[in-house]
Amino acid sequence: MTKIAFLGLGVMGYPMAGHLAGAGYKLRVYNRTASRAEQWLRDYAGESFATPAEAARGADMVFACVGNDRDLRQVVLGRQGAFAAMAEGSLFVDHTTASAGIARELQAAGRERGIGFLDAPVSGGQAGAENGALTIMVGGDETDFQRAQPLLQCYARASSLLGPAGSGQLCKMVNQICIAGVVQGLAEGLHFAKAAGLDAEQVIQVISKGAAQSWQMENRYKTMLAGEYQHGFAVDWMRKDLAIVLDEAQHNGALLPVTALVDQFYSEVQALGGGRWDTSSLFARLMNLRSFAGEAD
C-alpha cells in the first residue's frame, strides 16, 4: 500500500486527511500545534510526528495544506522540512492556496532531488472538505497528476490538470476573483431589496430561477438575511488570497478594479471585528453603513 504523509491539520487539512484514512491509508501526520494532531489521532488511524521531515520519511506521497507561502516554504524546504527526508521518486502534493511563484520554486527544488511536485489548491470550503466534495485545480506534470488521482478522489468531486507548475494556483486566483464579485453583487442585491421594502426571501425565490442564480445565492442568502456569518471561508483567509491575486495581477498586467474594491470592503469588515466571519459578511458591512447613515440623519 502507498505510504502517505499529511502536513497541516487545519480546518481543511483535518477532514481531507481523514478521508484518506477512511479509505484505508495509514497516515503519518504533522501539525504545528501538536494538540491538533493528537485530536486527529483520536478520530483516525495513523501516527503523529514532531517535524515535517519525520512525517515525510519513507512516504511515497506527501500532502500539505498550510497557511501561506512562508509556512509552505518552511514545511518543505526548512531544515526539518519534508524535502530533507523524501526519497527520490516520491511525490509532494500541495493543497495550500499560495502564490504561483512558490509553486514553481518548489517544483524546481523537487526536480533537483528527483521528487515530483503538484500545486493543487482546492475550492469548496470546510463543508466541501468534510463532505469529500472539493474541486481541485492542479499544476504540474501529467504523470504526477495521474499518480495522485486515486488519492485526490478520496476527498474531491472533481480534479483537473491546468498546465505546468503554478497553473493550479493561477486557476484558484480566478476562482477567488469570481467569488469576490458574486458575493458583493448578492450583498448589494439583498441590501437594495430591504431598502426598497421588498420581501427579500420572495425576491430570491423569483430571481434564483433565472440568470441571477449562483451557488452563493442558493447557499448564503438565508444566513446573510439572518446576520449569521459562521458558515465557511473566513474574511481573513479571503484577504490573504486576494492579496496573492492582486500581487499576481501587478506582474501579469491584469486589470482587477472590482476585486481591488471588494478587498477594500473586506478590510472594513475586519475593522468591524469580522475577520473570522465568512465571506458573505459583505452584507453586514452594507447594513452597518446604512445604520450609521440613519443615525447621522
Side-chain angles (χ1 to χ4, degrees), residues 99-277:
S99 69
I102 188 69
R104 298 179 187 117
E105 175 186 339
L106 296 181
Q107 196 263 355
R111 186 189 298 118
E112 292 178 356
R113 297 166 170 82
I115 299 169
F117 180 88
L118 297 173
D119 56 291
V122 302
S123 178
Q126 183 177 351
E130 292 172 350
N131 295 326
L134 293 169
T135 296
I136 307 181
M137 298 150 270
V138 186
D141 295 334
E142 175 71 28
T143 52
D144 290 334
F145 175 66
Q146 293 301 330
R147 182 180 172 191
Q149 270 285 60
L151 285 85
L152 298 180
Q153 290 172 0
C154 292
Y155 44 81
R157 64 179 178 184
S159 56
S160 300
L161 181 66
L162 279 301
S167 299
Q169 296 296 352
L170 292 171
C171 184
K172 179 61 183 287
M173 294 177 207
V174 175
N175 186 78
Q176 302 307 75
I177 291 167
C178 294
I179 289 174
V182 170
V183 176
Q184 178 62 20
L186 177 58
E188 291 185 16
L190 292 174
H191 177 63
F192 181 90
K194 291 178 70 68
L198 296 172
D199 181 331
E201 287 266 359
Q202 186 180 28
V203 168
I204 293 296
Q205 293 306 315
V206 173
I207 69 173
S208 65
K209 304 301 187 294
Q213 192 275 341
S214 69
W215 185 97
Q216 298 293 337
M217 180 177 290
E218 292 293 323
N219 291 274
R220 291 290 176 262
Y221 88 90
K222 286 187 177 181
T223 54
M224 291 167 83
L225 291 172
E228 299 173 356
Y229 304 113
Q230 309 301 325
H231 299 278
F233 197 64
V235 167
D236 287 344
W237 301 338
M238 185 60 154
R239 287 215 72 207
K240 184 267 287 186
D241 289 2
L242 293 182
I244 294 171
V245 168
L246 294 170
D247 181 70
E248 184 68 29
Q250 286 190 333
H251 290 89
N252 68 22
L255 303 177
L256 305 177
V258 173
T259 303
L261 186 60
V262 175
D263 179 58
Q264 178 59 42
F265 292 161
Y266 277 127
S267 75
E268 295 175 23
V269 174
Q270 288 176 317
L272 292 173
R276 303 301 291 182
W277 293 349

Side-chain angles (χ1 to χ4, degrees), residues 5-44:
F6 205 105
L7 315 178
L9 301 173
V11 170
M12 301 294 287
Y14 194 106
M16 292 162 74
H19 285 296
L20 289 170
Y25 297 100
K26 185 176 180 181
L27 268 64
R28 303 164 60 86
V29 300
Y30 162 81
N31 194 68
R32 183 167 51 189
T33 303
S35 59
R36 182 74 169 174
E38 292 166 5
Q39 176 61 51
W40 191 89
L41 291 175
R42 287 193 284 271
D43 293 335
Y44 304 102

